[in-house]
Amino acid sequence: MIDSYFDALIAQIEEIRREESGSIAKAATACASSLASQGVIHLYDTGHMITKEFSDRAGGLVGFTPFSFNMNVQSFNLREDRQLRAKPGSDVVALALKRSSIRPGDVLIVGSVSGRAFDSVEVALQAQAMGVTVIALTGVQQASLAESEHPTKKRLFEVADIVLDTHVVAGDALMAIPGMDRKVCPSSGISAASTLWAMTAEMCAQMAAAGNPPTVFMSANLPGGMDELPRTRELYKKKKI
């Protein structure tokens, strides 16, 4: 199964390269244009795909900035309805965006495999209304099977300015194992990371060719890396790209 797993994963990555290179290049240009104008690339992840992978990473951009919010209600006892969960509303999203550093001209990358959740769609719509370019990182096949929780009944890939399809299969898991009744080995994390790092490579190439390369983190684990970290942050504050 080791070879079978790698074959399936490589086939999915090749599919992304073959079918999404145009969209990846378009997203890279949008991000490069924003950074060149001293904008910021914000990362909003409803699951596990991008925030930790792209924030404060060696070889990653200082301009990649995580965005998150939540609403916690602490008023529970033994009569708690276990199905009662506080969910963001449009007013909560509006407050979160207002309190954030997101500004017109920035880019917001929203990562969600299904793109069906209320908050991912609402964040995208409200950010667009602010003049922010929204890039969806999502699995269109999976999302097409999902029913949206948003009042518009639209899913993330139907509202974003640019869609990066990670080509995850329905259900996400790649491998059918003999003797098991469910597939294993989801690929959404790897495909999402590969797609956005490809975008990052193209974005950096465009900016470097224009003589305006973005600020990049050096690994703190290399010799001198810890000393370089504060200098890198100061350079970003000075250049703002």
Side-chain angles (χ1 to χ4, degrees):
M1 293 309 296
I2 295 172
D3 285 343
S4 296
Y5 168 75
F6 280 115
D7 287 343
L9 184 61
I10 290 168
Q12 184 172 321
I13 299 300
E14 288 287 357
E15 189 174 291
I16 294 170
R17 179 169 69 171
R18 183 174 63 251
E19 299 187 20
E20 300 302 320
S21 288
S23 296
I24 292 171
K26 183 178 179 181
T29 299
C31 290
S33 177
S34 178
L35 285 180
S37 301
Q38 299 186 346
V40 174
I41 313 302
H42 304 273
L43 308 170
Y44 178 62
D45 197 350
T46 60
H48 57 87
M49 295 196 299
I50 59 174
T51 303
K52 292 187 181 298
E53 173 69 20
F54 287 84
S55 302
D56 297 326
R57 287 295 304 276
L61 274 60
V62 183
F64 282 151
T65 304
F67 167 69
S68 65
F69 64 94
N70 58 60
M71 183 176 70
N72 294 322
V73 178
Q74 296 183 356
S75 180
F76 301 129
N77 67 3
L78 294 178
R79 68 183 182 186
E80 173 193 353
D81 181 351
R82 293 295 179 179
Q83 295 183 343
L84 179 63
R85 301 177 62 187
K87 293 185 178 181
S90 59
D91 52 345
V92 175
V93 172
L95 178 60
L97 288 169
K98 182 178 180 181
R99 295 290 299 272
S100 76
S101 62
I102 299 175
R103 299 291 181 267
D106 287 353
V107 172
L108 175 64
I109 300 175
V110 182
S112 173
V113 178
S114 69
R116 65 185 292 270
F118 172 90
D119 52 342
S120 62
V121 177
E122 186 67 18
V123 164
L125 291 173
Q126 291 202 31
Q128 286 173 325
M130 294 170 56
V132 174
T133 298
V134 174
I135 299 173
L137 185 69
T138 188
V140 174
Q141 181 183 9
Q142 173 74 47
S144 298
L145 300 174
E147 181 179 353
S148 175
E149 296 177 349
H150 195 268
T152 64
K153 297 305 178 183
K154 291 185 177 181
R155 292 147 298 190
L156 180 61
F157 76 92
E158 296 172 303
V159 301
D161 298 299
I162 302 171
V163 177
L164 302 180
D165 184 0
T166 57
H167 288 255
V168 298
V169 298
D172 201 354
L174 284 177
M175 305 304 297
I177 307 295
M180 296 184 64
D181 62 354
R182 295 182 181 180
K183 288 184 176 182
V184 299
C185 303
S187 63
S188 55
I190 295 173
S191 60
S194 300
T195 301
L196 277 195
W197 284 127
M199 185 205 76
T200 303
E202 174 63 21
M203 173 178 53
C204 290
Q206 291 182 16
M207 296 183 70
N212 203 23
T215 308
V216 176
F217 283 115
M218 172 182 174
S219 173
N221 297 312
L222 290 175
M226 289 300 295
D227 294 332
E228 186 62 28
L229 183 59
R231 288 195 289 267
T232 299
R233 295 189 184 280
E234 285 302 316
L235 178 63
Y236 174 77
K237 290 179 181 179
K238 181 179 179 181
K239 293 175 60 180
K240 294 184 172 60
I241 62 171

